[in-house]
Amino acid sequence: MSEAIRKNFASDNIAPACPEVMDAMIRANSGPAPAYGGDEQSTTLEARFAELFEHDLRCFPIATGTAANSLALAALVPPYGAVLCDQSAHIANDEGGAPEFFTHGAKLITIPSDDGRMLPDALQTTIELNREGGIQSTPARALSLTQATEWGTVYSLARLRELTAIARQNNLPVHMDGARLANAVAHLDCSLADITWKLGIDVLSFGGTKNGAIAAEAVLFFNTALAEDFIRRIKRGGHLWSKQRYLSAQLLPLLHDNLWLKHARQANAMAQRLAHGLRRQPGAKLPFEVQGNEVFVVLPEPLVTQLEAAGYVFYRWPTPAGVDGTLIRLVTHYATEQTDVDALLASL
Amino acid sequence: MSEAIRKNFASDNIAPACPEVMDAMIRANSGPAPAYGGDEQSTTLEARFAELFEHDLRCFPIATGTAANSLALAALVPPYGAVLCDQSAHIANDEGGAPEFFTHGAKLITIPSDDGRMLPDALQTTIELNREGGIQSTPARALSLTQATEWGTVYSLARLRELTAIARQNNLPVHMDGARLANAVAHLDCSLADITWKLGIDVLSFGGTKNGAIAAEAVLFFNTALAEDFIRRIKRGGHLWSKQRYLSAQLLPLLHDNLWLKHARQANAMAQRLAHGLRRQPGAKLPFEVQGNEVFVVLPEPLVTQLEAAGYVFYRWPTPAGVDGTLIRLVTHYATEQTDVDALLASL
Amino acid sequence: MSEAIRKNFASDNIAPACPEVMDAMIRANSGPAPAYGGDEQSTTLEARFAELFEHDLRCFPIATGTAANSLALAALVPPYGAVLCDQSAHIANDEGGAPEFFTHGAKLITIPSDDGRMLPDALQTTIELNREGGIQSTPARALSLTQATEWGTVYSLARLRELTAIARQNNLPVHMDGARLANAVAHLDCSLADITWKLGIDVLSFGGTKNGAIAAEAVLFFNTALAEDFIRRIKRGGHLWSKQRYLSAQLLPLLHDNLWLKHARQANAMAQRLAHGLRRQPGAKLPFEVQGNEVFVVLPEPLVTQLEAAGYVFYRWPTPAGVDGTLIRLVTHYATEQTDVDALLASL
Amino acid sequence: MSEAIRKNFASDNIAPACPEVMDAMIRANSGPAPAYGGDEQSTTLEARFAELFEHDLRCFPIATGTAANSLALAALVPPYGAVLCDQSAHIANDEGGAPEFFTHGAKLITIPSDDGRMLPDALQTTIELNREGGIQSTPARALSLTQATEWGTVYSLARLRELTAIARQNNLPVHMDGARLANAVAHLDCSLADITWKLGIDVLSFGGTKNGAIAAEAVLFFNTALAEDFIRRIKRGGHLWSKQRYLSAQLLPLLHDNLWLKHARQANAMAQRLAHGLRRQPGAKLPFEVQGNEVFVVLPEPLVTQLEAAGYVFYRWPTPAGVDGTLIRLVTHYATEQTDVDALLASL
């Protein structure tokens, strides 16, 4: 890897695709293939995901996470409904209104939390208030949970169980935004089944792009009845590739020999190492537990400037009022190496 | 190429990507790159397109033609407006309602023609009738032309000039669906400038996928004022790739040394050879001029069955009432070779 | 009635409300009433409609026919679906894109007919072609029939039975645009039950505005399962009146003692008288059967000008190519009197 | 007025229409009238509003406040944009998602305040944070202010001036939800011009329904360029009445001799009297200034139950955590009389 990438902690999407993915693209690039998902790679993909999740499912590869999340939500809520989510959720803040576009204007009702992990009490209260609104409200019709969260924290299985139980009692289907699900599984050391359908997740956006692919996610329906007509939503959103083999081909190598997990473990370990080093830095404060591949840290402004001057690339985050210093985000990924982290720490 | 591809005349999207595109993907796959189009490939792409079209323009790479067309239309018409197009248009028949989705319900008003090429008189009449509808109608707010057409015919520059003049007189911006623009240019032997902004085209969907790419089109705005906020529509549609370098990287080699034109010339020549051979076939009738890379032919049903039995892959088309025989479509592409065509003809 | 109204044959919506409706408005205007349909008039209305139609139903009063039709369609088709309707349908031509708005972009697939009455064969063929379109099409998900039609003709019960049978075989729920249902019932001399749910109509827009009300229609669901959440669509469309008593109050007197039918009979009889007189006019040609309250007639242009000069108000219609003369539309209504018709005929 | 209405403090929309409005309806109910706003009442209405506001304007009567607000917002923001509003705004909480429907999914970004009156600093901060979101955010494109607010408070002219200045600096057009504008004007004792276009309000929803009408509001564009095509949005939303004279006829008498203001003064005075009496009640706490016609009061639960038992009708509101007692809302209206208020106070 180049010097440039060793100093780039801006996001997990700045990394190139892993060699296994590129090899698969090259292998896929021969001979004709039926259009629109009739190809061999796409058929295989569904079977592979079903094995991996130990459950019957329907699989739809999609090029972007924004589209995967938004299409999934559109399959759950009517245009006049609402989706409950954490106030930090990607769907609420970072998708340029795509959920509203695909759902035809459903509302995102955001629930405050300290660290991106929704609290069961807050969920319960929000549902009750929403119900009292009656005909004048936008009725809650789905719950969306992000695992790992946008603050780099990971829901425990117990917490997820509580949340999905409340959803079930209120007839809310549950979507999981798993753009970084691999990082959560790596942290929890559980199975993919444990963290999804066994907890009552109906639909999952399984991330590939941040974990070694070029541009590939998968929407997985464990509740297969909800997948009816989903392909029509994909087509109508302009997300059905005529040459779909090139989407599926990116995901297959990630599933092979659990490469997705190996990648996530590497990213997580690097984030741990980074967090460990930063905690020893005078004046540094880490506002959230580091459980995935994102490290949020408040540093004295001179240190932040120094890092930038040394060529490091990362995002400055809106620093909460009353906090002394500058909040920045450092993201590791599958290709981040120990020496990269140590070099950053050394440069402080 | 494999035996399978030599016998596949189903569509130009069954072909793999050309070697130049794959090589560019591999080259793009190194080091970090800024997300969302800040990468080097994407910046270069706009400059390259501007040179090629000899005009200032804004360029937005998009993975699918359906999204490219629909996003472009959304930039032209308000939700309560209408788009005028030929009754054979891809946007009207083959995009699963994507134009209605992206425009938030604008209407497609289709104008009948014999061969996919709109007649100026028919356009004029449609505009007048639409205007008479007043407040109860859906007012025409854009014209969309397909070049080459869905029936494999190509508009002459003179015809396009007449149509765009009518559009201009009626304040209708003009979109061109150029999924097969390369084939039209190869047929007309004109420049890209001649066939687009010089005729008053405001926005173009420039096709890559059917012409050697994996999944890449470009929306080009010659009327750059219309491009304001276009990136927001792309993001909201889930079509903004975080790793956009891999979209731009597919298009760059097609622009280099006019590979896009070389590909189209090959496809067109093969379609000509095929048409020539078919015309000599007893009982064959070609309902449309063959000017691009699509050959529509009515054959006696036994011959069609025979072709299928010989392993040939193609689409049967709804045969018009009163026609004796079976209408089929044969599509050639950049990788179709002379021996492939000759073999098909020999098998009849 | 004033001189002005006696000479106005422009539409049935130019007439004022009938005295019974105004009296009911005045009676409703006293004391408080619960908002949003909790009032007594609204509750009574549903029961009265159920009696009249001899069937359990859900009733939703709506101020305009455009909203009634569009909301009803939105309850039947998903945004990615299509509604099949006659090419003359009000929903397709005269509602400014409202069906597309309320359905979030569903497509209206129009089926040609000679006189506004869809032919079973044409319906069957359209359904088959639509199905062949597969994933690239907008799948038919509902049938909408207009009774009486926009050309003033009336479907026979037998024809409706054939059409709804085809719909049922193809799992298409059926909507009836009954803006002029009263006129159709008056013509057919059947019961409201005969012409609606007994034929398989799932949802009906029952017209009031054209038949003596101020601004009031009712959406009636015979298939009550489809009415789930309908009130939310109404609210979201801004069509839920806080003072709903004033909507319901308009409809109740029309239902009382079959005033709706008496009105329609008067309008129809006047149209018959008008048609009878016009047929005797040299040079006049009536292109459609006159069965409701609309008379379309081709007259020599000098006669049309003469009528206008005499102070008559009516619409000129686009005259079909090849027809000699000018097509005009004359509409009668509940307040049209014999002397008004005779005066018009005498002025020719 | 009946006993029932004297005890009903649930809302201003439980009242019947005032006699002047009913008289105007009866007068309007004669002779023919051109459909869709071509009638005399509608033409007069625009001129009358222009006089009253001392400014050129475009006027569109609409039956409901939800539709008036939502249509107005749709004229200001693109589907991918956002509207900034107070967290208590009617558009955000009480319109069943209508703003999202009419704007095709624009986002409502709510800004917290203590009493329904947005703080300039909070507005400024929200705009800056939104801008930092870049392409991933939903960009703020309009500001909506509610006057009087949902908590019965009234913005001072000075505060409005600060807020609209910020909007102007950021190129945000400003909408005012004036469902209870009359009450605000009565409180401030200013002119309609002072409180609207002189402050930079571009579009106003002027309330009639809560102030003596049956179902009638007016959308007024002071910035007339924004009104282009607005009639098409109205038609497409099913809100264009064919018999529009009956909408305009409701508003004209309210404008005559400032009946709208007389009504509001009466309602406000009754709210003052009620508040005055309640403040003397042991255990009562009024969380907001009473400036319009809404009184929010926290009472000991036994007192609330006692009021209900005495036949009084009103809404219980979600009582904030930590507050001792029960929050209720009492609304007065144009027909509330001194004896009604005194009777309620006496019953405590």
Side-chain angles (χ1 to χ4, degrees):
Chain A
M1 288 285 159
S2 66
E3 154 103 5
I5 199 164
R6 291 169 170 271
K7 291 194 163 178
N8 195 317
F9 291 78
S11 179
D12 24 22
N13 61 27
I14 58 92
C18 67
E20 292 86 345
V21 163
M22 281 310 292
D23 287 351
M25 289 292 275
I26 293 164
R27 278 198 309 277
N29 197 48
S30 102
Y36 305 121
D39 60 279
E40 195 193 315
Q41 284 90 344
S42 297
T43 319
T44 307
L45 185 67
E46 188 161 284
R48 283 294 293 121
F49 265 120
E51 278 172 50
L52 206 59
F53 280 85
E54 307 166 53
H55 199 276
D56 185 33
L57 54 75
R58 294 294 314 278
C59 159
F60 301 89
I62 306 280
T64 73
T66 290
N69 281 338
S70 300
L71 283 161
L73 293 177
L76 301 188
V77 294
Y80 50 82
V83 177
L84 305 179
C85 63
D86 190 81
Q87 68 178 0
S88 69
H90 205 262
I91 56 172
N93 303 296
D94 302 300
E95 301 190 341
E100 288 88 347
F101 178 48
F102 282 89
T103 62
H104 299 287
K107 206 165 191 132
L108 300 180
I109 298 179
T110 56
I111 302 178
S113 73
D114 287 336
D115 61 5
R117 289 178 288 201
M118 193 182 286
L119 293 161
D121 278 0
L123 173 60
Q124 186 68 50
T125 305
T126 302
I127 290 172
E128 281 160 21
L129 266 170
N130 176 261
R131 190 170 292 139
E132 280 172 27
I135 188 67
Q136 298 190 288
S137 76
T138 310
R141 292 291 165 91
L143 171 65
S144 179
L145 300 169
T146 310
Q147 176 78 315
T149 76
E150 296 297 312
W151 294 121
T153 55
V154 171
Y155 280 103
S156 68
L157 294 186
R159 175 78 69 86
L160 286 176
R161 203 169 290 121
E162 282 184 89
L163 293 166
T164 55
I166 294 171
R168 201 158 39 246
Q169 284 152 22
N170 291 281
N171 293 315
L172 304 179
V174 187
H175 165 252
M176 180 170 274
D177 176 355
R180 293 191 181 99
L181 185 71
N183 304 94
V185 170
H187 172 74
L188 294 171
D189 203 17
C190 63
S191 75
L192 283 168
D194 285 340
I195 205 175
T196 56
W197 60 268
K198 284 193 181 173
L199 296 172
I201 305 301
D202 296 284
V203 192
L204 170 71
S205 306
F206 180 88
T209 312
K210 292 183 197 294
N211 202 22
I214 292 170
E217 318 280 306
V219 177
L220 304 178
F221 285 87
F222 305 112
N223 181 342
T224 55
L226 293 170
E228 201 194 323
D229 283 339
F230 194 65
I231 192 75
R232 293 200 179 272
R233 292 191 186 271
I234 293 174
K235 173 68 190 169
R236 195 173 186 239
H239 286 286
L240 188 62
W241 283 24
S242 57
K243 301 183 179 177
Q244 191 173 304
R245 54 172 145 172
Y246 296 100
L247 264 185
S248 302
Q250 294 176 54
L251 291 164
L252 284 169
L254 290 178
L255 304 193
H256 187 67
D257 269 353
N258 285 326
L259 182 60
W260 62 275
L261 186 55
K262 191 181 139 203
H263 280 178
R265 283 187 175 142
Q266 174 66 15
N268 283 14
M270 292 305 98
Q272 284 302 331
R273 187 175 189 90
L274 188 54
H276 185 72
L278 288 168
R279 274 195 204 94
R280 295 166 53 188
Q281 190 66 33
K285 210 161 48 190
L286 283 76
F288 307 114
E289 290 181 83
V290 175
Q291 299 176 315
N293 66 322
E294 295 185 289
V295 181
F296 288 87
V297 61
V298 178
L299 290 177
E301 174 59 30
L303 265 190
V304 172
T305 316
Q306 181 183 320
L307 265 181
E308 290 170 341
Y312 282 95
V313 181
F314 51 85
Y315 279 103
R316 286 160 173 266
W317 229 249
T319 308
V323 168
D324 206 31
T326 302
L327 178 60
I328 66 170
R329 186 187 74 162
L330 301 165
V331 187
T332 58
H333 50 73
Y334 80 93
T336 307
E337 292 174 23
Q338 197 166 310
T339 51
D340 306 343
V341 171
D342 294 348
L344 183 149
L345 291 171
S347 89
L348 282 172
Chain B
M1 287 285 159
S2 66
E3 155 105 6
I5 200 164
R6 291 169 170 270
K7 291 194 163 177
N8 195 318
F9 289 79
S11 180
D12 23 22
N13 61 27
I14 59 90
C18 67
E20 293 86 347
V21 164
M22 281 310 292
D23 286 351
M25 290 292 275
I26 292 164
R27 279 197 310 276
N29 197 50
S30 103
Y36 305 122
D39 60 278
E40 196 194 314
Q41 284 90 346
S42 297
T43 320
T44 308
L45 186 66
E46 188 161 283
R48 283 293 294 120
F49 265 120
E51 279 172 51
L52 206 60
F53 280 86
E54 309 165 52
H55 199 276
D56 185 35
L57 54 74
R58 296 292 315 280
C59 158
F60 300 90
I62 305 280
T64 72
T66 290
N69 282 337
S70 300
L71 282 161
L73 294 176
L76 301 188
V77 294
Y80 49 82
V83 177
L84 305 178
C85 63
D86 190 82
Q87 67 178 0
S88 69
H90 204 263
I91 57 172
N93 303 296
D94 302 300
E95 301 190 341
E100 287 88 348
F101 179 47
F102 282 88
T103 62
H104 299 287
K107 205 163 191 136
L108 300 179
I109 297 179
T110 56
I111 302 178
S113 73
D114 287 337
D115 62 5
R117 288 178 290 201
M118 193 183 285
L119 292 162
D121 278 0
L123 174 59
Q124 187 67 50
T125 304
T126 302
I127 290 172
E128 281 160 22
L129 266 171
N130 176 261
R131 189 170 294 138
E132 280 172 27
I135 189 65
Q136 298 190 290
S137 76
T138 311
R141 292 291 165 91
L143 171 65
S144 179
L145 299 169
T146 310
Q147 175 78 316
T149 77
E150 296 297 311
W151 293 120
T153 55
V154 170
Y155 280 103
S156 69
L157 295 186
R159 174 77 70 85
L160 286 176
R161 204 169 290 121
E162 283 183 89
L163 293 167
T164 55
I166 294 171
R168 202 158 37 247
Q169 284 153 22
N170 291 280
N171 294 315
L172 303 180
V174 187
H175 165 252
M176 180 171 274
D177 176 354
R180 294 191 181 100
L181 184 71
N183 304 93
V185 170
H187 173 73
L188 294 171
D189 203 16
C190 62
S191 77
L192 283 168
D194 286 341
I195 205 176
T196 56
W197 59 269
K198 285 194 181 172
L199 295 172
I201 304 301
D202 295 284
V203 193
L204 170 72
S205 306
F206 181 88
T209 312
K210 292 183 196 295
N211 202 23
I214 291 169
E217 319 279 309
V219 177
L220 305 177
F221 285 87
F222 305 111
N223 181 342
T224 55
L226 292 171
E228 202 194 323
D229 284 338
F230 193 65
I231 191 76
R232 292 199 180 274
R233 291 192 187 271
I234 293 174
K235 173 67 189 169
R236 194 174 189 238
H239 285 286
L240 188 63
W241 282 25
S242 58
K243 302 183 178 177
Q244 192 174 304
R245 53 173 145 173
Y246 297 101
L247 263 185
S248 302
Q250 294 176 54
L251 292 164
L252 283 168
L254 290 178
L255 303 192
H256 187 66
D257 271 352
N258 286 325
L259 182 61
W260 62 276
L261 185 56
K262 191 182 139 203
H263 280 177
R265 283 185 175 142
Q266 174 67 15
N268 283 13
M270 292 304 99
Q272 284 300 332
R273 187 175 189 92
L274 188 54
H276 185 73
L278 289 167
R279 276 196 202 95
R280 295 165 55 188
Q281 190 66 32
K285 209 161 46 188
L286 282 75
F288 306 113
E289 290 182 84
V290 175
Q291 299 176 314
N293 65 323
E294 295 185 289
V295 181
F296 287 87
V297 60
V298 178
L299 290 177
E301 175 58 31
L303 266 190
V304 172
T305 315
Q306 181 183 319
L307 266 180
E308 290 170 340
Y312 281 95
V313 181
F314 51 85
Y315 279 103
R316 287 161 173 263
W317 229 249
T319 308
V323 169
D324 206 31
T326 302
L327 177 61
I328 65 170
R329 186 186 75 162
L330 302 165
V331 187
T332 58
H333 50 73
Y334 81 94
T336 307
E337 293 174 23
Q338 196 165 311
T339 49
D340 306 342
V341 171
D342 294 347
L344 183 149
L345 291 171
S347 88
L348 283 172
Chain C
M1 287 284 156
S2 67
E3 155 104 6
I5 199 164
R6 290 169 171 271
K7 291 193 162 177
N8 195 317
F9 290 79
S11 180
D12 23 22
N13 61 27
I14 59 91
C18 67
E20 293 86 345
V21 163
M22 280 310 293
D23 287 350
M25 289 292 275
I26 293 164
R27 279 198 310 276
N29 197 49
S30 102
Y36 304 121
D39 61 279
E40 196 192 315
Q41 284 89 347
S42 297
T43 320
T44 308
L45 186 67
E46 187 161 287
R48 285 292 294 120
F49 265 120
E51 279 172 50
L52 207 60
F53 280 85
E54 308 164 53
H55 198 277
D56 185 34
L57 54 74
R58 296 293 315 279
C59 158
F60 301 89
I62 306 279
T64 72
T66 291
N69 281 338
S70 301
L71 282 161
L73 294 177
L76 302 188
V77 294
Y80 50 81
V83 177
L84 304 179
C85 63
D86 189 81
Q87 69 178 0
S88 69
H90 205 263
I91 56 172
N93 303 295
D94 302 300
E95 302 190 339
E100 287 88 347
F101 179 48
F102 282 88
T103 62
H104 299 288
K107 204 164 193 135
L108 300 180
I109 297 180
T110 56
I111 302 178
S113 72
D114 286 337
D115 62 5
R117 288 178 289 201
M118 193 183 285
L119 294 162
D121 277 1
L123 174 59
Q124 186 68 50
T125 305
T126 303
I127 291 172
E128 281 160 20
L129 266 171
N130 176 260
R131 189 169 294 138
E132 280 172 27
I135 189 66
Q136 298 190 291
S137 77
T138 311
R141 290 291 166 92
L143 171 65
S144 179
L145 299 169
T146 310
Q147 175 77 315
T149 75
E150 296 297 311
W151 294 120
T153 55
V154 171
Y155 280 102
S156 68
L157 295 186
R159 175 77 71 86
L160 286 176
R161 204 169 291 121
E162 282 184 89
L163 293 166
T164 55
I166 294 171
R168 202 159 36 248
Q169 283 154 21
N170 291 281
N171 293 315
L172 305 179
V174 187
H175 165 252
M176 180 170 275
D177 176 355
R180 295 190 180 100
L181 185 71
N183 304 94
V185 170
H187 173 74
L188 294 172
D189 203 18
C190 64
S191 75
L192 283 168
D194 285 342
I195 204 174
T196 54
W197 59 269
K198 285 192 179 171
L199 295 172
I201 305 301
D202 295 284
V203 192
L204 170 71
S205 306
F206 180 88
T209 311
K210 292 182 196 293
N211 202 23
I214 291 170
E217 319 279 308
V219 177
L220 305 178
F221 284 87
F222 305 112
N223 181 343
T224 55
L226 293 170
E228 202 194 324
D229 284 338
F230 194 65
I231 192 75
R232 293 200 179 272
R233 292 191 186 271
I234 293 175
K235 173 69 190 167
R236 194 173 188 240
H239 286 286
L240 188 63
W241 283 24
S242 58
K243 302 183 178 177
Q244 192 173 305
R245 52 172 147 174
Y246 297 101
L247 264 185
S248 302
Q250 295 176 54
L251 291 165
L252 283 169
L254 290 177
L255 304 192
H256 186 67
D257 271 352
N258 284 326
L259 183 59
W260 63 276
L261 186 55
K262 192 180 139 204
H263 280 178
R265 282 185 176 143
Q266 175 65 16
N268 283 14
M270 292 305 98
Q272 284 302 330
R273 189 174 187 92
L274 188 55
H276 185 72
L278 288 169
R279 273 193 205 96
R280 295 166 54 188
Q281 190 65 33
K285 209 160 49 189
L286 283 76
F288 306 114
E289 290 182 84
V290 175
Q291 300 176 314
N293 65 324
E294 295 185 290
V295 180
F296 288 87
V297 60
V298 178
L299 289 177
E301 175 59 30
L303 266 190
V304 173
T305 315
Q306 181 183 318
L307 265 180
E308 289 170 340
Y312 281 95
V313 181
F314 52 84
Y315 280 102
R316 286 160 174 265
W317 228 249
T319 308
V323 168
D324 206 29
T326 301
L327 178 60
I328 66 169
R329 186 187 74 162
L330 301 165
V331 186
T332 59
H333 50 73
Y334 81 93
T336 307
E337 293 174 22
Q338 197 166 311
T339 49
D340 306 342
V341 170
D342 293 348
L344 184 149
L345 292 171
S347 88
L348 282 171
Chain D
M1 287 286 157
S2 65
E3 155 103 7
I5 198 164
R6 290 168 171 272
K7 292 195 162 177
N8 194 317
F9 290 78
S11 180
D12 24 21
N13 62 28
I14 59 92
C18 66
E20 293 86 345
V21 163
M22 280 311 291
D23 288 351
M25 289 292 274
I26 292 164
R27 279 198 310 279
N29 197 49
S30 102
Y36 305 120
D39 61 278
E40 196 193 316
Q41 284 90 346
S42 298
T43 320
T44 308
L45 186 66
E46 188 160 285
R48 284 292 294 120
F49 265 120
E51 278 172 51
L52 206 60
F53 280 85
E54 310 165 51
H55 200 276
D56 185 35
L57 54 73
R58 296 292 315 280
C59 158
F60 301 89
I62 305 279
T64 72
T66 291
N69 282 337
S70 301
L71 282 161
L73 294 176
L76 302 187
V77 294
Y80 50 82
V83 177
L84 305 179
C85 63
D86 189 81
Q87 69 178 0
S88 68
H90 205 262
I91 56 171
N93 303 296
D94 302 301
E95 302 190 339
E100 287 88 347
F101 179 47
F102 282 88
T103 62
H104 298 288
K107 204 164 192 135
L108 300 180
I109 298 180
T110 57
I111 302 178
S113 72
D114 287 337
D115 61 5
R117 289 178 290 202
M118 193 183 285
L119 293 162
D121 278 1
L123 174 59
Q124 186 67 50
T125 305
T126 302
I127 290 172
E128 281 160 22
L129 266 171
N130 176 261
R131 189 169 295 138
E132 280 172 28
I135 189 65
Q136 297 190 291
S137 77
T138 310
R141 291 291 165 93
L143 171 65
S144 179
L145 299 169
T146 310
Q147 174 77 317
T149 76
E150 297 297 311
W151 294 120
T153 55
V154 171
Y155 281 102
S156 69
L157 295 186
R159 175 76 70 84
L160 286 177
R161 204 169 291 120
E162 283 183 89
L163 293 166
T164 55
I166 294 171
R168 203 159 36 248
Q169 284 153 21
N170 291 281
N171 293 316
L172 303 180
V174 187
H175 165 253
M176 180 171 274
D177 177 355
R180 294 189 181 102
L181 184 72
N183 304 94
V185 169
H187 173 74
L188 294 170
D189 203 17
C190 63
S191 76
L192 283 168
D194 286 341
I195 204 175
T196 54
W197 60 269
K198 285 192 179 172
L199 295 172
I201 305 301
D202 295 284
V203 193
L204 170 71
S205 306
F206 180 88
T209 311
K210 292 182 197 294
N211 203 22
I214 292 169
E217 319 279 308
V219 177
L220 304 177
F221 285 87
F222 306 111
N223 182 341
T224 54
L226 293 170
E228 202 194 323
D229 284 339
F230 194 65
I231 191 74
R232 293 200 180 272
R233 291 191 187 271
I234 293 175
K235 172 68 189 170
R236 195 175 187 237
H239 285 286
L240 188 63
W241 282 25
S242 57
K243 302 182 177 177
Q244 192 173 305
R245 53 172 146 173
Y246 297 101
L247 263 185
S248 302
Q250 295 176 54
L251 292 165
L252 284 169
L254 290 178
L255 304 192
H256 186 67
D257 271 352
N258 285 326
L259 183 59
W260 64 275
L261 185 56
K262 193 181 137 203
H263 280 178
R265 283 185 175 144
Q266 175 65 15
N268 283 14
M270 292 306 98
Q272 285 301 331
R273 189 175 187 91
L274 189 54
H276 184 73
L278 289 168
R279 274 194 203 95
R280 295 165 54 187
Q281 190 65 34
K285 210 162 47 190
L286 283 76
F288 307 113
E289 289 182 85
V290 175
Q291 300 176 314
N293 66 323
E294 295 185 290
V295 180
F296 288 87
V297 60
V298 178
L299 289 177
E301 175 60 29
L303 267 190
V304 173
T305 315
Q306 181 184 319
L307 266 179
E308 289 170 340
Y312 282 95
V313 181
F314 52 85
Y315 280 103
R316 287 160 174 264
W317 228 250
T319 308
V323 168
D324 205 30
T326 301
L327 178 60
I328 65 169
R329 186 186 73 162
L330 301 166
V331 187
T332 59
H333 49 74
Y334 80 94
T336 308
E337 293 173 23
Q338 197 166 310
T339 50
D340 306 342
V341 170
D342 293 347
L344 183 148
L345 292 171
S347 87
L348 281 173

